[in-house]
Every structure is written in C-alpha cells, then in structure tokens.
Amino acid sequence: MTRSPCEIAWFSALCDDDYEFLGVPDARLKSSWGHCRDIVLQAESGGFDNILLPSGYELGIDTTAFAAAIAAETKTIDLLMAVRIGESWPAQLARQIATIDRISAANAGRGRLKVNIISSDMPGEKLASAPRYARTVEAMHILKTLLNGEHLKHDGEFWQLDIDPPQVATISGKAPLLYFGGLSEDAREAAAKGCDVFLMWPDRQENVAAIIADMKERAAKHGRTLRFGYRAHMIVRNTEAEARSYADRLLSKLDAEQGAAIRAKSLDSTSTGVAAQAALRETASDDGYAEANLWTGVGRARSGCGAAIVGDPDQVLAKLNAYRDMGIEAFILSGYPHAAEADLFARHVLPNIDHAPL
C-alpha cells in the first residue's frame, strides 16, 4: 500500500535519562550541554527529521536554554522543545518560541522549532487534574493566537490578557505545531481542543487503534482534526536473538528498589498514562513482551514511556509500518545509550522508511 511520509524523531536525554545499564548512573552519560549536544548532532548526521528535547524541573538541564543553543549549532533537524505550562507565562513563552525559531532558521533558511506541551504543575504546587488541563487549553489558545500574529483578547480562568503579538515572529509567521499527550479524560479533552499532534506511549496495537478512534471523534466534536504520534524506545540488531539479548543486558544490573525510586521521582509518576504503562508491563508475558516485538522491560527503570520495539531491521520496520497503517504520522524514538542506538537505527532502519518532517 502507498503510505505518506512519516516524521522520524530521536530523543536527547536532557532529564538525566541515559544509561548503558538501566538504573545504574553513569557520570559520562549524565545530562550536560556537551553530552546532550552530542546526541542531537548524532541524530542530525544520521538523518532524523526531528529531536525531542524533554523537560523536567527536578532532573537534568533547562530545555529552553538548551534549545536556543542547539538551534544555532544544527542545520537540518527540527527541534521539538518541551515546555511545562505550569512554569510559563504564555505571552513570554510565545516570544521565546518565536526567538528560538528565528535562531534555528539562521543555518537552515526555515524555522525548525516545534513545541511539546506538557500540562505540568508549578514546582512546589499541586493543581487538580481538571483545572490543570483547563489551564493548558488556555495556554495553547494564547500561544496559537499570538504566534499567528493576531491580537489577543483573552478572559480566562487563569489568564486575562489584552495584548498584541510580540514584535518578533516565527519565520513562517504562524504558530509551530503543538505536540501533546495524555490519556486521562481531562487530557484527552484538552488535546481535542488545542493540540495539533496527539502523542501516545507504547501499547498493544488494538489499544492504539482504539485511542486514535476516540481522539478523532473528540476532535471532530470541536470542529478539529488531529495528527497522531507514537513515542517508543528502540532496540534494533542484525537478528532478533541479538536484539532480545541486548534488552536482557540493559536490565542485567537493575536493582528493583532503585528502579522503583527512579519511577517515583518523575513528576508524572501518578498519571493515567504512567498507570497504563504499568498495566502493560504487568500483563506482559514472563519475558516482558506485551505483543510481538514490544518489550516492556524499559518501564522497570523509568517513568513515562516504558516499552521498546525490539527486533531485527525487518521486524522493526514492519512494526513501524503497522502503526503508520493505523494513522500514526510521527514517531519519537530513543534507545540506550541514546547516541549509539540512534546510529544503529539510522543505519539499519531509517533508509527504508519514507520520512520527512511534519
């Protein structure tokens, strides 16, 4: 069948999430400007379309500062900057986004910034789910209005603004794509109302199909359409046996208590999405596989995205193409260690996928 090109993104470990052995800290892989820069440059040289720059208040380094710096050092790869809404004033965030977009265009002739919206709390505070996601919907509306160059008159629950757009604009004069994920009822409604690309974490294929169908229906009720993305870890080797052996090696030094502590430290450790990843792991086979080539062992040592596509190049490609046939247009992939696994995927799988930035 004929498939439209999909976006293939990698992941730079800004939040202290890089390991040779999961759960075993390695000073050489700790988040720093140099290490995270190397991951981005590896992904760019490998031909990836985009790179996720994650954000966590307690972990790693600041995402916005990193995005501005790496925008000046790259030429082809798009930058998916994660922003935590609880930590931002949307009008100032719009100005930062437009500025970084312009920095990214200096070497490329086009703006390369995209934004991953995270419905976060303010550090040190706790907001219930419904108002937190309502605040996120307001923020997405404010960002899109200002970044589309329009006057904003907004009388919301969280912000009351009557303001012109910032003088600095994105290169296109339009708001960048907003990526967003979440499985709770509040999160799904927020996505249906405000985002452009709805991101999912790994799940069995029938569940992925059900989520896509639900989100299409929700968006249609608001007169909108969504595009869909899929975030997963990656282990690709010459043979399936080698890939499965490497997966076992990743967990070979994991202490169960250390893994639990890593999961608990994440700010999203109690979310509906994380609970779904835990359920996927708990209902997997004894060797950790939830379905063919989908291994849940990664989730034993991290919160959030907790499963990996594991196999030989043909198996990995077939798995990605199956998701594409379900409606997935963007993939955000990662692996441990991130730079090394990016190289393996770029050499063994990426040349066989018709891919391009969204």
Side-chain angles (χ1 to χ4, degrees):
M1 67 179 294
T2 302
R3 303 181 180 95
S4 299
C6 61
E7 178 177 83
I8 305 291
W10 200 250
F11 174 98
S12 185
L14 271 68
C15 300
D16 292 331
D17 182 41
D18 203 1
Y19 299 97
E20 179 180 1
F21 298 96
L22 288 175
V24 180
D26 186 334
R28 298 167 301 168
L29 301 178
K30 189 174 178 61
S31 294
S32 67
W33 160 248
H35 178 59
C36 296
R37 172 184 179 271
D38 287 348
I39 295 171
V40 176
L41 296 181
Q42 177 68 57
E44 181 171 58
S45 67
F48 287 88
D49 303 308
N50 196 1
I51 186 137
L52 175 59
L53 308 177
S55 176
Y57 175 73
E58 295 183 9
L59 302 170
I61 58 179
D62 182 74
T63 307
T64 306
F66 181 89
I70 203 67
E73 295 221 6
T74 50
K75 296 179 180 179
T76 59
I77 196 165
D78 285 3
L79 308 172
L80 181 54
M81 180 178 75
V83 298
R84 305 183 67 84
I85 293 303
E87 301 171 17
S88 304
W89 185 57
Q92 175 64 11
L93 178 58
R95 189 165 178 257
Q96 291 171 328
I97 289 170
T99 301
I100 296 172
D101 185 71
R102 289 199 163 263
I103 294 170
S104 76
N107 294 332
R110 65 179 183 90
R112 293 181 286 124
L113 189 67
K114 297 167 178 175
V115 179
N116 178 200
I117 297 288
I118 301 174
S119 185
S120 68
D121 287 308
M122 180 73 77
E125 298 179 355
K126 191 70 176 175
L127 196 63
S129 174
R132 179 163 50 83
Y133 281 105
R135 179 174 63 186
T136 301
V137 172
E138 284 192 33
M140 288 191 287
H141 168 69
I142 293 168
L143 288 175
K144 285 189 172 185
T145 301
L146 294 175
L147 289 168
N148 282 332
E150 302 167 9
H151 180 87
L152 174 72
K153 189 172 179 62
H154 177 77
D155 185 17
E157 179 182 355
F158 296 93
W159 292 286
Q160 297 79 42
L161 298 171
D162 189 348
I163 190 173
D164 285 328
Q167 288 189 2
V168 60
T170 62
I171 290 294
S172 68
K174 299 293 183 181
L177 290 175
L178 301 183
Y179 294 59
F180 177 88
L183 286 183
S184 69
E185 179 69 19
D186 295 326
R188 293 186 191 216
E189 279 301 300
K193 292 175 181 177
C195 81
D196 302 303
V197 183
F198 181 74
L199 294 175
M200 288 171 279
W201 285 337
D203 208 334
R204 294 182 175 88
Q205 290 191 25
E206 62 269 23
N207 293 335
V208 174
I211 294 168
I212 291 173
D214 176 63
M215 293 306 303
K216 285 183 175 179
E217 182 178 344
R218 288 174 187 263
K221 290 179 181 177
H222 297 287
R224 306 183 69 244
T225 59
L226 293 172
R227 305 173 85 172
F228 294 93
Y230 191 85
R231 166 92 179 92
H233 303 286
M234 189 61 53
I235 300 175
V236 59
R237 295 295 184 273
N238 286 326
T239 68
E240 181 180 14
E242 289 177 76
R244 290 173 71 105
S245 177
Y246 187 80
D248 293 338
R249 181 182 184 275
L250 277 178
L251 289 180
S252 63
K253 297 185 180 182
L254 178 66
D255 176 79
E257 291 186 3
Q258 176 67 12
I262 292 170
R263 295 194 303 273
K265 191 172 184 179
S266 173
L267 297 180
D268 65 359
S269 61
T270 60
S271 74
T272 302
V274 170
Q277 293 295 282
L280 183 70
R281 187 167 65 251
E282 290 161 4
T283 57
S285 60
D286 290 344
D287 58 2
Y289 286 82
E291 62 182 14
N293 305 109
L294 187 65
W295 178 65
T296 64
V298 175
R300 290 175 56 189
R302 79 186 306 277
S303 187
C305 174
I309 298 171
V310 177
D312 65 35
D314 290 339
Q315 290 172 319
V316 170
L317 180 63
K319 193 79 168 175
L320 295 177
N321 282 335
Y323 293 129
R324 294 172 70 188
D325 293 342
M326 297 164 63
I328 301 295
E329 295 183 69
F331 294 94
I332 301 174
L333 308 175
S334 57
Y336 297 100
H338 291 294
E341 209 68 32
D343 175 62
L344 287 166
F345 185 90
R347 289 189 287 116
H348 295 296
V349 183
L350 195 57
N352 299 313
I353 301 176
D354 184 12
H355 65 98
L358 289 187

